[in-house]
PDB file of all heavy atoms in Angstrom:
ATOM      1  N   ILE S  68     -13.919 -53.283-116.760  1.00 98.00           N
ATOM      2  CA  ILE S  68     -12.838 -54.283-116.726  1.00 98.00           C
ATOM      3  C   ILE S  68     -13.405 -55.568-117.366  1.00 98.00           C
ATOM      4  O   ILE S  68     -14.485 -56.041-116.954  1.00 98.00           O
ATOM      5  CB  ILE S  68     -12.338 -54.592-115.278  1.00 98.00           C
ATOM      6  CG1 ILE S  68     -11.789 -53.310-114.651  1.00 98.00           C
ATOM      7  CG2 ILE S  68     -11.268 -55.672-115.281  1.00 98.00           C
ATOM      8  CD1 ILE S  68     -12.795 -52.542-113.812  1.00 98.00           C
ATOM      9  N   SER S  69     -12.737 -56.149-118.316  1.00 98.00           N
ATOM     10  CA  SER S  69     -13.176 -57.375-118.967  1.00 98.00           C
ATOM     11  C   SER S  69     -12.126 -58.461-118.775  1.00 98.00           C
ATOM     12  O   SER S  69     -10.945 -58.187-118.920  1.00 98.00           O
ATOM     13  CB  SER S  69     -13.377 -57.124-120.517  1.00 98.00           C
ATOM     14  OG  SER S  69     -14.148 -55.988-120.748  1.00 98.00           O
ATOM     15  N   ALA S  70     -12.563 -59.629-118.454  1.00 97.00           N
ATOM     16  CA  ALA S  70     -11.692 -60.817-118.336  1.00 97.00           C
ATOM     17  C   ALA S  70     -12.079 -61.828-119.375  1.00 97.00           C
ATOM     18  O   ALA S  70     -13.244 -62.211-119.482  1.00 97.00           O
ATOM     19  CB  ALA S  70     -11.784 -61.400-116.951  1.00 97.00           C
ATOM     20  N   ARG S  71     -11.080 -62.229-120.225  1.00 96.00           N
ATOM     21  CA  ARG S  71     -11.406 -63.134-121.320  1.00 96.00           C
ATOM     22  C   ARG S  71     -10.298 -64.144-121.523  1.00 96.00           C
ATOM     23  O   ARG S  71      -9.194 -63.812-121.973  1.00 96.00           O
ATOM     24  CB  ARG S  71     -11.609 -62.274-122.575  1.00 96.00           C
ATOM     25  CG  ARG S  71     -11.920 -63.087-123.807  1.00 96.00           C
ATOM     26  CD  ARG S  71     -12.192 -62.132-125.008  1.00 96.00           C
ATOM     27  NE  ARG S  71     -12.034 -62.884-126.228  1.00 96.00           N
ATOM     28  CZ  ARG S  71     -10.943 -62.867-127.001  1.00 96.00           C
ATOM     29  NH1 ARG S  71      -9.894 -62.109-126.671  1.00 96.00           N
ATOM     30  NH2 ARG S  71     -10.858 -63.564-128.118  1.00 96.00           N
ATOM     31  N   PRO S  72     -10.562 -65.421-121.162  1.00 91.00           N
ATOM     32  CA  PRO S  72      -9.491 -66.439-121.400  1.00 91.00           C
ATOM     33  C   PRO S  72      -9.411 -66.806-122.909  1.00 91.00           C
ATOM     34  O   PRO S  72     -10.396 -66.698-123.606  1.00 91.00           O
ATOM     35  CB  PRO S  72     -10.032 -67.656-120.592  1.00 91.00           C
ATOM     36  CG  PRO S  72     -11.206 -67.198-119.852  1.00 91.00           C
ATOM     37  CD  PRO S  72     -11.719 -65.980-120.533  1.00 91.00           C
ATOM     38  N   SER S  73      -8.225 -67.232-123.328  1.00 81.00           N
ATOM     39  CA  SER S  73      -8.062 -67.710-124.677  1.00 81.00           C
ATOM     40  C   SER S  73      -8.713 -69.096-124.770  1.00 81.00           C
ATOM     41  O   SER S  73      -8.624 -69.880-123.816  1.00 81.00           O
ATOM     42  CB  SER S  73      -6.579 -67.825-125.035  1.00 81.00           C
ATOM     43  OG  SER S  73      -6.370 -68.617-126.158  1.00 81.00           O
ATOM     44  N   GLY S  74      -9.306 -69.437-125.904  1.00 67.00           N
ATOM     45  CA  GLY S  74      -9.887 -70.731-126.041  1.00 67.00           C
ATOM     46  C   GLY S  74      -8.870 -71.760-126.464  1.00 67.00           C
ATOM     47  O   GLY S  74      -9.106 -72.985-126.431  1.00 67.00           O
ATOM     48  N   THR S  75      -7.668 -71.341-126.914  1.00 63.00           N
ATOM     49  CA  THR S  75      -6.695 -72.249-127.503  1.00 63.00           C
ATOM     50  C   THR S  75      -5.424 -72.443-126.696  1.00 63.00           C
ATOM     51  O   THR S  75      -4.696 -73.365-126.954  1.00 63.00           O
ATOM     52  CB  THR S  75      -6.314 -71.815-128.910  1.00 63.00           C
ATOM     53  OG1 THR S  75      -5.901 -70.433-128.838  1.00 63.00           O
ATOM     54  CG2 THR S  75      -7.507 -71.914-129.867  1.00 63.00           C
ATOM     55  N   GLU S  76      -5.114 -71.490-125.774  1.00 69.00           N
ATOM     56  CA  GLU S  76      -3.863 -71.639-125.022  1.00 69.00           C
ATOM     57  C   GLU S  76      -4.107 -71.173-123.603  1.00 69.00           C
ATOM     58  O   GLU S  76      -5.069 -70.504-123.302  1.00 69.00           O
ATOM     59  CB  GLU S  76      -2.743 -70.780-125.692  1.00 69.00           C
ATOM     60  CG  GLU S  76      -3.169 -69.403-126.051  1.00 69.00           C
ATOM     61  CD  GLU S  76      -2.184 -68.699-126.984  1.00 69.00           C
ATOM     62  OE1 GLU S  76      -0.975 -69.020-126.978  1.00 69.00           O
ATOM     63  OE2 GLU S  76      -2.639 -67.789-127.688  1.00 69.00           O
ATOM     64  N   PRO S  77      -3.208 -71.583-122.648  1.00 76.00           N
ATOM     65  CA  PRO S  77      -3.384 -71.223-121.240  1.00 76.00           C
ATOM     66  C   PRO S  77      -3.088 -69.761-120.973  1.00 76.00           C
ATOM     67  O   PRO S  77      -2.129 -69.417-120.331  1.00 76.00           O
ATOM     68  CB  PRO S  77      -2.459 -72.153-120.513  1.00 76.00           C
ATOM     69  CG  PRO S  77      -1.405 -72.448-121.481  1.00 76.00           C
ATOM     70  CD  PRO S  77      -1.981 -72.391-122.856  1.00 76.00           C
ATOM     71  N   LYS S  78      -3.955 -68.881-121.517  1.00 86.00           N
ATOM     72  CA  LYS S  78      -3.673 -67.449-121.409  1.00 86.00           C
ATOM     73  C   LYS S  78      -5.016 -66.733-121.080  1.00 86.00           C
ATOM     74  O   LYS S  78      -6.092 -67.191-121.525  1.00 86.00           O
ATOM     75  CB  LYS S  78      -3.158 -66.962-122.775  1.00 86.00           C
ATOM     76  CG  LYS S  78      -2.703 -65.538-122.823  1.00 86.00           C
ATOM     77  CD  LYS S  78      -2.395 -65.101-124.230  1.00 86.00           C
ATOM     78  CE  LYS S  78      -1.000 -65.472-124.666  1.00 86.00           C
ATOM     79  NZ  LYS S  78      -0.654 -64.887-125.981  1.00 86.00           N
ATOM     80  N   ILE S  79      -4.934 -65.673-120.280  1.00 94.00           N
ATOM     81  CA  ILE S  79      -6.144 -64.887-120.024  1.00 94.00           C
ATOM     82  C   ILE S  79      -5.788 -63.404-120.191  1.00 94.00           C
ATOM     83  O   ILE S  79      -4.725 -62.963-119.841  1.00 94.00           O
ATOM     84  CB  ILE S  79      -6.680 -65.165-118.564  1.00 94.00           C
ATOM     85  CG1 ILE S  79      -7.960 -64.396-118.330  1.00 94.00           C
ATOM     86  CG2 ILE S  79      -5.659 -64.852-117.528  1.00 94.00           C
ATOM     87  CD1 ILE S  79      -8.757 -64.859-117.105  1.00 94.00           C
ATOM     88  N   LYS S  80      -6.738 -62.713-120.857  1.00 95.00           N
ATOM     89  CA  LYS S  80      -6.508 -61.255-121.096  1.00 95.00           C
ATOM     90  C   LYS S  80      -7.458 -60.449-120.206  1.00 95.00           C
ATOM     91  O   LYS S  80      -8.630 -60.810-120.076  1.00 95.00           O
ATOM     92  CB  LYS S  80      -6.783 -60.909-122.544  1.00 95.00           C
ATOM     93  CG  LYS S  80      -5.709 -61.372-123.500  1.00 95.00           C
ATOM     94  CD  LYS S  80      -6.042 -60.968-124.950  1.00 95.00           C
ATOM     95  CE  LYS S  80      -4.911 -61.331-125.912  1.00 95.00           C
ATOM     96  NZ  LYS S  80      -5.214 -60.998-127.292  1.00 95.00           N
ATOM     97  N   PHE S  81      -6.915 -59.364-119.637  1.00 96.00           N
ATOM     98  CA  PHE S  81      -7.736 -58.414-118.875  1.00 96.00           C
ATOM     99  C   PHE S  81      -7.664 -57.078-119.625  1.00 96.00           C
ATOM    100  O   PHE S  81      -6.610 -56.550-119.898  1.00 96.00           O
ATOM    101  CB  PHE S  81      -7.176 -58.225-117.492  1.00 96.00           C
ATOM    102  CG  PHE S  81      -7.401 -59.439-116.591  1.00 96.00           C
ATOM    103  CD1 PHE S  81      -6.461 -60.476-116.519  1.00 96.00           C
ATOM    104  CD2 PHE S  81      -8.604 -59.570-115.855  1.00 96.00           C
ATOM    105  CE1 PHE S  81      -6.710 -61.588-115.712  1.00 96.00           C
ATOM    106  CE2 PHE S  81      -8.806 -60.670-115.052  1.00 96.00           C
ATOM    107  CZ  PHE S  81      -7.885 -61.692-114.992  1.00 96.00           C
ATOM    108  N   TYR S  82      -8.872 -56.542-119.945  1.00 97.00           N
ATOM    109  CA  TYR S  82      -8.960 -55.261-120.681  1.00 97.00           C
ATOM    110  C   TYR S  82      -9.460 -54.245-119.647  1.00 97.00           C
ATOM    111  O   TYR S  82     -10.463 -54.472-118.952  1.00 97.00           O
ATOM    112  CB  TYR S  82     -10.006 -55.377-121.813  1.00 97.00           C
ATOM    113  CG  TYR S  82      -9.725 -56.487-122.805  1.00 97.00           C
ATOM    114  CD1 TYR S  82     -10.074 -57.795-122.548  1.00 97.00           C
ATOM    115  CD2 TYR S  82      -9.220 -56.195-124.061  1.00 97.00           C
ATOM    116  CE1 TYR S  82      -9.880 -58.819-123.461  1.00 97.00           C
ATOM    117  CE2 TYR S  82      -9.005 -57.199-124.999  1.00 97.00           C
ATOM    118  CZ  TYR S  82      -9.328 -58.498-124.674  1.00 97.00           C
ATOM    119  OH  TYR S  82      -9.145 -59.487-125.615  1.00 97.00           O
ATOM    120  N   PHE S  83      -8.816 -53.094-119.611  1.00 98.00           N
ATOM    121  CA  PHE S  83      -9.191 -52.036-118.705  1.00 98.00           C
ATOM    122  C   PHE S  83      -9.570 -50.766-119.491  1.00 98.00           C
ATOM    123  O   PHE S  83      -8.870 -50.362-120.420  1.00 98.00           O
ATOM    124  CB  PHE S  83      -8.024 -51.700-117.753  1.00 98.00           C
ATOM    125  CG  PHE S  83      -7.570 -52.881-116.972  1.00 98.00           C
ATOM    126  CD1 PHE S  83      -6.521 -53.735-117.442  1.00 98.00           C
ATOM    127  CD2 PHE S  83      -8.174 -53.236-115.771  1.00 98.00           C
ATOM    128  CE1 PHE S  83      -6.132 -54.821-116.773  1.00 98.00           C
ATOM    129  CE2 PHE S  83      -7.764 -54.354-115.034  1.00 98.00           C
ATOM    130  CZ  PHE S  83      -6.720 -55.136-115.570  1.00 98.00           C
ATOM    131  N   SER S  84     -10.689 -50.130-119.135  1.00 98.00           N
ATOM    132  CA  SER S  84     -11.073 -48.889-119.749  1.00 98.00           C
ATOM    133  C   SER S  84     -11.577 -47.943-118.706  1.00 98.00           C
ATOM    134  O   SER S  84     -12.442 -48.273-117.877  1.00 98.00           O
ATOM    135  CB  SER S  84     -12.208 -49.165-120.761  1.00 98.00           C
ATOM    136  OG  SER S  84     -12.627 -47.956-121.339  1.00 98.00           O
ATOM    137  N   VAL S  85     -10.930 -46.765-118.635  1.00 98.00           N
ATOM    138  CA  VAL S  85     -11.337 -45.700-117.690  1.00 98.00           C
ATOM    139  C   VAL S  85     -11.628 -44.417-118.481  1.00 98.00           C
ATOM    140  O   VAL S  85     -11.179 -44.282-119.633  1.00 98.00           O
ATOM    141  CB  VAL S  85     -10.198 -45.475-116.636  1.00 98.00           C
ATOM    142  CG1 VAL S  85     -10.038 -46.714-115.772  1.00 98.00           C
ATOM    143  CG2 VAL S  85      -8.881 -45.107-117.292  1.00 98.00           C
ATOM    144  N   GLN S  86     -12.321 -43.498-117.835  1.00 98.00           N
ATOM    145  CA  GLN S  86     -12.671 -42.279-118.523  1.00 98.00           C
ATOM    146  C   GLN S  86     -12.806 -41.131-117.578  1.00 98.00           C
ATOM    147  O   GLN S  86     -13.032 -41.314-116.354  1.00 98.00           O
ATOM    148  CB  GLN S  86     -13.988 -42.489-119.250  1.00 98.00           C
ATOM    149  CG  GLN S  86     -15.101 -43.009-118.321  1.00 98.00           C
ATOM    150  CD  GLN S  86     -16.437 -43.196-119.018  1.00 98.00           C
ATOM    151  OE1 GLN S  86     -17.145 -42.247-119.350  1.00 98.00           O
ATOM    152  NE2 GLN S  86     -16.785 -44.441-119.280  1.00 98.00           N
ATOM    153  N   ALA S  87     -12.637 -39.934-118.118  1.00 98.00           N
ATOM    154  CA  ALA S  87     -12.775 -38.709-117.358  1.00 98.00           C
ATOM    155  C   ALA S  87     -13.069 -37.516-118.333  1.00 98.00           C
ATOM    156  O   ALA S  87     -12.664 -37.643-119.488  1.00 98.00           O
ATOM    157  CB  ALA S  87     -11.537 -38.397-116.548  1.00 98.00           C
ATOM    158  N   PRO S  88     -13.744 -36.493-117.871  1.00 98.00           N
ATOM    159  CA  PRO S  88     -13.947 -35.365-118.788  1.00 98.00           C
ATOM    160  C   PRO S  88     -12.604 -34.683-119.096  1.00 98.00           C
ATOM    161  O   PRO S  88     -11.712 -34.700-118.254  1.00 98.00           O
ATOM    162  CB  PRO S  88     -14.832 -34.392-117.983  1.00 98.00           C
ATOM    163  CG  PRO S  88     -15.269 -35.190-116.816  1.00 98.00           C
ATOM    164  CD  PRO S  88     -14.319 -36.314-116.572  1.00 98.00           C
ATOM    165  N   LEU S  89     -12.497 -34.119-120.288  1.00 98.00           N
ATOM    166  CA  LEU S  89     -11.329 -33.333-120.664  1.00 98.00           C
ATOM    167  C   LEU S  89     -11.825 -31.929-121.027  1.00 98.00           C
ATOM    168  O   LEU S  89     -12.501 -31.768-122.037  1.00 98.00           O
ATOM    169  CB  LEU S  89     -10.577 -33.983-121.851  1.00 98.00           C
ATOM    170  CG  LEU S  89      -9.264 -33.319-122.265  1.00 98.00           C
ATOM    171  CD1 LEU S  89      -8.209 -33.377-121.195  1.00 98.00           C
ATOM    172  CD2 LEU S  89      -8.705 -33.894-123.545  1.00 98.00           C
ATOM    173  N   GLU S  90     -11.512 -30.998-120.144  1.00 97.00           N
ATOM    174  CA  GLU S  90     -12.033 -29.640-120.311  1.00 97.00           C
ATOM    175  C   GLU S  90     -11.486 -28.960-121.587  1.00 97.00           C
ATOM    176  O   GLU S  90     -12.218 -28.298-122.311  1.00 97.00           O
ATOM    177  CB  GLU S  90     -11.685 -28.781-119.071  1.00 97.00           C
ATOM    178  CG  GLU S  90     -12.393 -29.186-117.802  1.00 97.00           C
ATOM    179  CD  GLU S  90     -13.916 -29.180-117.964  1.00 97.00           C
ATOM    180  OE1 GLU S  90     -14.455 -28.237-118.597  1.00 97.00           O
ATOM    181  OE2 GLU S  90     -14.554 -30.108-117.435  1.00 97.00           O
ATOM    182  N   ASN S  91     -10.195 -29.101-121.806  1.00 97.00           N
ATOM    183  CA  ASN S  91      -9.551 -28.478-122.962  1.00 97.00           C
ATOM    184  C   ASN S  91      -8.271 -29.222-123.319  1.00 97.00           C
ATOM    185  O   ASN S  91      -7.782 -30.070-122.514  1.00 97.00           O
ATOM    186  CB  ASN S  91      -9.294 -27.014-122.720  1.00 97.00           C
ATOM    187  CG  ASN S  91      -8.537 -26.803-121.400  1.00 97.00           C
ATOM    188  OD1 ASN S  91      -7.524 -27.434-121.158  1.00 97.00           O
ATOM    189  ND2 ASN S  91      -9.070 -25.910-120.552  1.00 97.00           N
ATOM    190  N   LYS S  92      -7.690 -28.852-124.433  1.00 96.00           N
ATOM    191  CA  LYS S  92      -6.476 -29.530-124.917  1.00 96.00           C
ATOM    192  C   LYS S  92      -5.312 -29.396-123.937  1.00 96.00           C
ATOM    193  O   LYS S  92      -4.515 -30.307-123.760  1.00 96.00           O
ATOM    194  CB  LYS S  92      -6.071 -28.934-126.275  1.00 96.00           C
ATOM    195  CG  LYS S  92      -5.068 -29.699-127.033  1.00 96.00           C
ATOM    196  CD  LYS S  92      -4.796 -29.174-128.430  1.00 96.00           C
ATOM    197  CE  LYS S  92      -3.664 -29.900-129.094  1.00 96.00           C
ATOM    198  NZ  LYS S  92      -3.357 -29.385-130.432  1.00 96.00           N
ATOM    199  N   ALA S  93      -5.262 -28.278-123.267  1.00 96.00           N
ATOM    200  CA  ALA S  93      -4.124 -28.014-122.366  1.00 96.00           C
ATOM    201  C   ALA S  93      -4.115 -28.996-121.161  1.00 96.00           C
ATOM    202  O   ALA S  93      -3.042 -29.272-120.604  1.00 96.00           O
ATOM    203  CB  ALA S  93      -4.234 -26.578-121.781  1.00 96.00           C
ATOM    204  N   ALA S  94      -5.266 -29.538-120.851  1.00 97.00           N
ATOM    205  CA  ALA S  94      -5.377 -30.471-119.671  1.00 97.00           C
ATOM    206  C   ALA S  94      -5.018 -31.895-120.036  1.00 97.00           C
ATOM    207  O   ALA S  94      -4.980 -32.803-119.190  1.00 97.00           O
ATOM    208  CB  ALA S  94      -6.752 -30.374-119.081  1.00 97.00           C
ATOM    209  N   TYR S  95      -4.731 -32.179-121.331  1.00 97.00           N
ATOM    210  CA  TYR S  95      -4.560 -33.528-121.853  1.00 97.00           C
ATOM    211  C   TYR S  95      -3.534 -34.344-121.002  1.00 97.00           C
ATOM    212  O   TYR S  95      -3.876 -35.447-120.523  1.00 97.00           O
ATOM    213  CB  TYR S  95      -4.139 -33.489-123.333  1.00 97.00           C
ATOM    214  CG  TYR S  95      -3.721 -34.811-123.897  1.00 97.00           C
ATOM    215  CD1 TYR S  95      -4.684 -35.783-124.264  1.00 97.00           C
ATOM    216  CD2 TYR S  95      -2.376 -35.126-124.021  1.00 97.00           C
ATOM    217  CE1 TYR S  95      -4.280 -37.007-124.777  1.00 97.00           C
ATOM    218  CE2 TYR S  95      -2.002 -36.374-124.502  1.00 97.00           C
ATOM    219  CZ  TYR S  95      -2.924 -37.337-124.893  1.00 97.00           C
ATOM    220  OH  TYR S  95      -2.560 -38.524-125.408  1.00 97.00           O
ATOM    221  N   GLU S  96      -2.339 -33.828-120.849  1.00 96.00           N
ATOM    222  CA  GLU S  96      -1.292 -34.594-120.161  1.00 96.00           C
ATOM    223  C   GLU S  96      -1.652 -34.936-118.705  1.00 96.00           C
ATOM    224  O   GLU S  96      -1.476 -36.053-118.235  1.00 96.00           O
ATOM    225  CB  GLU S  96       0.030 -33.862-120.195  1.00 96.00           C
ATOM    226  CG  GLU S  96       0.765 -33.924-121.561  1.00 96.00           C
ATOM    227  CD  GLU S  96       1.129 -35.345-122.024  1.00 96.00           C
ATOM    228  OE1 GLU S  96       1.280 -36.220-121.176  1.00 96.00           O
ATOM    229  OE2 GLU S  96       1.229 -35.539-123.247  1.00 96.00           O
ATOM    230  N   ASN S  97      -2.195 -33.896-118.026  1.00 98.00           N
ATOM    231  CA  ASN S  97      -2.568 -34.164-116.594  1.00 98.00           C
ATOM    232  C   ASN S  97      -3.654 -35.234-116.441  1.00 98.00           C
ATOM    233  O   ASN S  97      -3.557 -36.089-115.585  1.00 98.00           O
ATOM    234  CB  ASN S  97      -3.072 -32.845-115.962  1.00 98.00           C
ATOM    235  CG  ASN S  97      -1.900 -31.890-115.695  1.00 98.00           C
ATOM    236  OD1 ASN S  97      -0.743 -32.321-115.670  1.00 98.00           O
ATOM    237  ND2 ASN S  97      -2.173 -30.656-115.476  1.00 98.00           N
TER     238      ASN S  97
END
């Protein structure tokens, strides 16, 4: 998780990245 305020306006962005193994193509949606 990354938190990064804007330097020019009263705004802050939160970036989220998660991961898991994918056994095969069929499991993609789940």
Side-chain angles (χ1 to χ4, degrees):
I68 299 95
S69 310
R71 180 177 160 260
S73 164
T75 54
E76 48 192 334
K78 186 189 276 188
I79 183 166
K80 285 182 176 177
F81 289 90
Y82 305 79
F83 303 92
S84 178
V85 294
Q86 54 180 285
L89 184 65
E90 292 302 319
N91 51 50
K92 194 176 174 180
Y95 171 79
E96 283 300 334
N97 286 343

